[in-house]
Short mmCIF file of all heavy atoms in Angstrom, two decimals:
data_model
loop_
_atom_site.label_atom_id
_atom_site.label_comp_id
_atom_site.label_asym_id
_atom_site.label_seq_id
_atom_site.Cartn_x
_atom_site.Cartn_y
_atom_site.Cartn_z
N LEU N 28 91.33 31.11 97.99
CA LEU N 28 92.19 32.29 98.12
C LEU N 28 93.45 32.15 97.27
O LEU N 28 93.96 33.14 96.75
CB LEU N 28 92.56 32.50 99.58
CG LEU N 28 91.42 32.95 100.50
CD1 LEU N 28 91.90 33.05 101.95
CD2 LEU N 28 90.87 34.29 100.04
N ARG N 29 93.95 30.92 97.11
CA ARG N 29 95.11 30.73 96.21
C ARG N 29 94.72 31.08 94.77
O ARG N 29 95.50 31.70 94.03
CB ARG N 29 95.63 29.32 96.32
CG ARG N 29 96.59 29.08 97.47
CD ARG N 29 97.33 27.77 97.33
NE ARG N 29 96.44 26.64 97.57
CZ ARG N 29 96.27 26.06 98.74
NH1 ARG N 29 96.93 26.51 99.79
NH2 ARG N 29 95.45 25.05 98.89
N LEU N 30 93.53 30.66 94.36
CA LEU N 30 93.06 31.02 93.00
C LEU N 30 92.85 32.52 92.88
O LEU N 30 93.15 33.10 91.83
CB LEU N 30 91.79 30.25 92.71
CG LEU N 30 91.90 28.71 92.60
CD1 LEU N 30 90.53 28.06 92.47
CD2 LEU N 30 92.76 28.34 91.38
N ASP N 31 92.30 33.12 93.90
CA ASP N 31 92.11 34.58 93.89
C ASP N 31 93.44 35.29 93.74
O ASP N 31 93.58 36.21 92.92
CB ASP N 31 91.43 35.03 95.19
CG ASP N 31 90.02 34.46 95.36
OD1 ASP N 31 89.43 34.08 94.35
OD2 ASP N 31 89.56 34.39 96.52
N GLU N 32 94.43 34.84 94.51
CA GLU N 32 95.73 35.53 94.48
C GLU N 32 96.41 35.35 93.12
O GLU N 32 97.04 36.29 92.60
CB GLU N 32 96.62 34.96 95.60
CG GLU N 32 97.89 35.72 95.84
CD GLU N 32 99.02 35.19 94.99
OE1 GLU N 32 99.02 34.00 94.68
OE2 GLU N 32 99.91 36.00 94.64
N ALA N 33 96.24 34.17 92.53
CA ALA N 33 96.82 33.96 91.18
C ALA N 33 96.16 34.86 90.14
O ALA N 33 96.85 35.42 89.26
CB ALA N 33 96.67 32.48 90.78
N ALA N 34 94.85 35.01 90.20
CA ALA N 34 94.14 35.87 89.25
C ALA N 34 94.54 37.33 89.46
O ALA N 34 94.76 38.07 88.46
CB ALA N 34 92.64 35.68 89.39
N LEU N 35 94.64 37.77 90.69
CA LEU N 35 95.03 39.12 90.98
C LEU N 35 96.45 39.42 90.51
O LEU N 35 96.77 40.55 90.14
CB LEU N 35 94.90 39.41 92.50
CG LEU N 35 93.47 39.42 93.02
CD1 LEU N 35 93.46 39.42 94.55
CD2 LEU N 35 92.70 40.64 92.52
N ALA N 36 97.31 38.40 90.55
CA ALA N 36 98.69 38.59 90.05
C ALA N 36 98.73 38.72 88.53
O ALA N 36 99.61 39.39 87.98
CB ALA N 36 99.55 37.43 90.52
N ALA N 37 97.77 38.08 87.85
CA ALA N 37 97.74 38.12 86.37
C ALA N 37 97.09 39.39 85.82
O ALA N 37 97.31 39.77 84.69
CB ALA N 37 97.02 36.89 85.86
N LEU N 38 96.29 40.06 86.65
CA LEU N 38 95.49 41.19 86.16
C LEU N 38 96.29 42.48 85.90
O LEU N 38 96.00 43.16 84.90
CB LEU N 38 94.36 41.49 87.13
CG LEU N 38 93.13 40.61 86.94
CD1 LEU N 38 92.23 40.65 88.17
CD2 LEU N 38 92.34 41.09 85.69
N PRO N 39 97.24 42.88 86.73
CA PRO N 39 97.90 44.18 86.51
C PRO N 39 98.52 44.38 85.12
O PRO N 39 98.25 45.42 84.50
CB PRO N 39 98.94 44.25 87.63
CG PRO N 39 98.37 43.41 88.72
CD PRO N 39 97.67 42.29 88.02
N PRO N 40 99.29 43.43 84.59
CA PRO N 40 99.81 43.64 83.24
C PRO N 40 98.76 43.71 82.16
O PRO N 40 98.87 44.45 81.18
CB PRO N 40 100.77 42.48 83.01
CG PRO N 40 100.40 41.46 84.01
CD PRO N 40 99.84 42.18 85.18
N LEU N 41 97.65 42.97 82.37
CA LEU N 41 96.55 43.05 81.39
C LEU N 41 95.84 44.41 81.45
O LEU N 41 95.51 44.99 80.42
CB LEU N 41 95.54 41.93 81.70
CG LEU N 41 96.05 40.50 81.57
CD1 LEU N 41 94.98 39.52 82.05
CD2 LEU N 41 96.46 40.20 80.11
N LEU N 42 95.65 44.94 82.67
CA LEU N 42 95.05 46.27 82.80
C LEU N 42 95.98 47.32 82.19
O LEU N 42 95.50 48.34 81.65
CB LEU N 42 94.79 46.55 84.27
CG LEU N 42 93.64 45.73 84.90
CD1 LEU N 42 93.70 45.81 86.41
CD2 LEU N 42 92.28 46.26 84.40
N ASP N 43 97.30 47.12 82.31
CA ASP N 43 98.22 48.06 81.69
C ASP N 43 98.10 48.04 80.18
O ASP N 43 98.20 49.09 79.52
CB ASP N 43 99.65 47.72 82.11
CG ASP N 43 99.95 48.07 83.55
OD1 ASP N 43 99.24 48.94 84.11
OD2 ASP N 43 100.89 47.49 84.13
N VAL N 44 97.90 46.85 79.59
CA VAL N 44 97.68 46.76 78.16
C VAL N 44 96.46 47.52 77.72
O VAL N 44 96.43 48.26 76.73
CB VAL N 44 97.60 45.28 77.72
CG1 VAL N 44 97.14 45.15 76.28
CG2 VAL N 44 98.96 44.59 77.90
N VAL N 45 95.38 47.34 78.46
CA VAL N 45 94.13 48.04 78.16
C VAL N 45 94.31 49.54 78.28
O VAL N 45 93.82 50.32 77.45
CB VAL N 45 93.01 47.55 79.09
CG1 VAL N 45 91.71 48.34 78.86
CG2 VAL N 45 92.75 46.06 78.90
N ARG N 46 95.02 49.99 79.31
CA ARG N 46 95.25 51.43 79.49
C ARG N 46 96.03 52.02 78.32
O ARG N 46 95.66 53.11 77.79
CB ARG N 46 95.97 51.68 80.81
CG ARG N 46 96.30 53.15 81.06
CD ARG N 46 97.07 53.31 82.35
NE ARG N 46 98.27 52.52 82.39
CZ ARG N 46 99.42 52.84 81.83
NH1 ARG N 46 99.53 53.96 81.16
NH2 ARG N 46 100.47 52.02 81.93
N ARG N 47 97.07 51.34 77.88
CA ARG N 47 97.85 51.85 76.76
C ARG N 47 97.04 51.92 75.46
O ARG N 47 97.15 52.87 74.70
CB ARG N 47 99.11 50.99 76.56
CG ARG N 47 100.13 51.13 77.67
CD ARG N 47 101.48 50.54 77.28
NE ARG N 47 101.40 49.11 77.05
CZ ARG N 47 101.62 48.21 78.00
NH1 ARG N 47 101.91 48.59 79.24
NH2 ARG N 47 101.54 46.92 77.72
N ARG N 48 96.19 50.92 75.24
CA ARG N 48 95.35 50.90 74.04
C ARG N 48 94.30 52.00 74.10
O ARG N 48 93.99 52.66 73.10
CB ARG N 48 94.68 49.54 73.85
CG ARG N 48 94.11 49.29 72.49
CD ARG N 48 95.20 49.13 71.48
NE ARG N 48 94.68 48.72 70.18
CZ ARG N 48 94.56 49.54 69.12
NH1 ARG N 48 94.87 50.81 69.21
NH2 ARG N 48 94.09 49.06 67.98
N GLN N 49 93.75 52.22 75.30
CA GLN N 49 92.75 53.27 75.46
C GLN N 49 93.39 54.64 75.35
O GLN N 49 92.73 55.62 74.93
CB GLN N 49 92.04 53.12 76.81
CG GLN N 49 91.04 52.01 76.88
CD GLN N 49 89.88 52.20 75.89
OE1 GLN N 49 89.21 53.23 75.91
NE2 GLN N 49 89.67 51.22 75.02
N ALA N 50 94.64 54.77 75.74
CA ALA N 50 95.33 56.04 75.55
C ALA N 50 95.47 56.40 74.08
O ALA N 50 95.49 57.60 73.74
CB ALA N 50 96.71 55.98 76.19
N GLU N 51 95.48 55.40 73.21
CA GLU N 51 95.50 55.66 71.76
C GLU N 51 94.10 55.93 71.21
O GLU N 51 93.91 56.84 70.38
CB GLU N 51 96.11 54.45 71.04
CG GLU N 51 97.54 54.13 71.43
CD GLU N 51 98.01 52.82 70.82
OE1 GLU N 51 97.21 52.18 70.14
OE2 GLU N 51 99.17 52.45 71.07
N LEU N 52 93.11 55.17 71.70
CA LEU N 52 91.75 55.30 71.19
C LEU N 52 90.99 56.48 71.84
O LEU N 52 90.17 57.13 71.17
CB LEU N 52 91.00 54.00 71.43
CG LEU N 52 91.57 52.76 70.77
CD1 LEU N 52 90.78 51.52 71.20
CD2 LEU N 52 91.54 52.89 69.24
N ASN N 53 91.23 56.73 73.12
CA ASN N 53 90.51 57.77 73.86
C ASN N 53 91.49 58.60 74.68
O ASN N 53 91.49 58.56 75.92
CB ASN N 53 89.43 57.16 74.78
CG ASN N 53 88.36 56.43 74.02
OD1 ASN N 53 87.62 57.02 73.24
ND2 ASN N 53 88.28 55.11 74.23
N PRO N 54 92.35 59.35 73.99
CA PRO N 54 93.38 60.09 74.75
C PRO N 54 92.83 61.16 75.69
O PRO N 54 93.52 61.55 76.64
CB PRO N 54 94.22 60.73 73.64
CG PRO N 54 93.32 60.79 72.46
CD PRO N 54 92.43 59.62 72.55
N ARG N 55 91.59 61.60 75.48
CA ARG N 55 91.01 62.62 76.34
C ARG N 55 90.24 62.03 77.51
O ARG N 55 89.76 62.78 78.36
CB ARG N 55 90.09 63.52 75.53
CG ARG N 55 90.80 64.31 74.46
CD ARG N 55 89.84 65.26 73.73
NE ARG N 55 90.52 66.04 72.73
CZ ARG N 55 89.92 66.95 71.96
NH1 ARG N 55 88.62 67.19 72.12
NH2 ARG N 55 90.62 67.66 71.07
N ALA N 56 90.11 60.74 77.54
CA ALA N 56 89.39 60.08 78.67
C ALA N 56 90.36 59.94 79.85
O ALA N 56 90.74 58.82 80.20
CB ALA N 56 88.81 58.75 78.22
N LEU N 57 90.71 61.06 80.43
CA LEU N 57 91.74 61.03 81.48
C LEU N 57 91.31 60.27 82.71
O LEU N 57 92.09 59.57 83.36
CB LEU N 57 92.12 62.47 81.85
CG LEU N 57 92.69 63.34 80.70
CD1 LEU N 57 93.04 64.72 81.20
CD2 LEU N 57 93.90 62.67 80.07
N ARG N 58 90.04 60.40 83.07
CA ARG N 58 89.57 59.70 84.27
C ARG N 58 89.59 58.20 84.06
O ARG N 58 89.95 57.43 84.97
CB ARG N 58 88.18 60.17 84.65
CG ARG N 58 87.74 59.62 86.03
CD ARG N 58 86.47 60.30 86.49
NE ARG N 58 85.33 60.08 85.60
CZ ARG N 58 84.09 60.57 85.82
NH1 ARG N 58 83.89 61.29 86.91
NH2 ARG N 58 83.13 60.32 84.99
N LEU N 59 89.24 57.73 82.87
CA LEU N 59 89.27 56.30 82.58
C LEU N 59 90.72 55.80 82.61
O LEU N 59 90.98 54.74 83.17
CB LEU N 59 88.69 56.03 81.19
CG LEU N 59 88.89 54.63 80.62
CD1 LEU N 59 88.22 53.60 81.54
CD2 LEU N 59 88.36 54.52 79.19
#
């Protein structure tokens, strides 16, 4: 669970990076 919690803490900023890049590549993919 400690490893799980550490991974979950690292994921949000990475998902934000992906979202910003996808907003440039697929601006109409609103659901994504």
